[in-house]
Amino acid sequence: MKISAYVHYAIIILIDIAMQGKGTTVKGDDIARRQNISFAFVAQILNKLKHAGLLESLRGGVTGGYRLKESSSRVTVEKIIKAIDPGFSISPGAGIKTGQPVDNMVRDFWQQLTTDITIRLETTTIEDLARRVEVQK
């Protein structure tokens, strides 16, 4: 399992948008400035998130920008990963088989770890992460 830079920054961008307030429209260059990420990279990620249905874009000069399509309490880390990196997998490899009891125990360990991570990804929301950022301020 390796988390791509796109996924990492997508989470940061969505937290930034959520922290601006419910329904607030946010410009990509403002996100780039606040988070110290290149605007070109932010624009790529915003486009991917829009096409995945997590964001909507609004045109309109001063009021144009992006906003969450649904509440930040409904946008999970799993949804973000699927939007940015659909081939992402956390399952352990199946190629090693010794036929020994210790092999089964290790396989069970990896399976439980995979289940734990999956649950965490499915239940952690942008709202949860934004709250943690507020606490750290």
Side-chain angles (χ1 to χ4, degrees), residues 4 31 38 40 42 56 78 87 102 104 108-109 117:
S4 71
I31 296 168
S38 82
V42 169
E56 57 186 357
E78 178 197 34
V102 68
N104 292 331
D108 289 346
F109 168 78
I117 293 170

Side-chain angles (χ1 to χ4, degrees), residues 59-72:
R59 297 178 191 250
V62 176
T63 60
Y66 293 86
R67 68 179 174 203
L68 293 173
K69 201 161 186 178
E70 59 184 332
S71 168
S72 61

Side-chain angles (χ1 to χ4, degrees), residues 13 16 25-43 46 61-62 64-66:
I13 289 167
D16 184 282
T25 303
V26 182
K27 294 182 180 294
D29 57 344
D30 291 336
I31 296 168
R33 182 181 35 76
R34 278 192 298 271
Q35 301 305 327
N36 197 27
I37 307 169
S38 82
F39 174 70
F41 199 46
V42 169
L46 288 169
V62 176
Y66 293 86

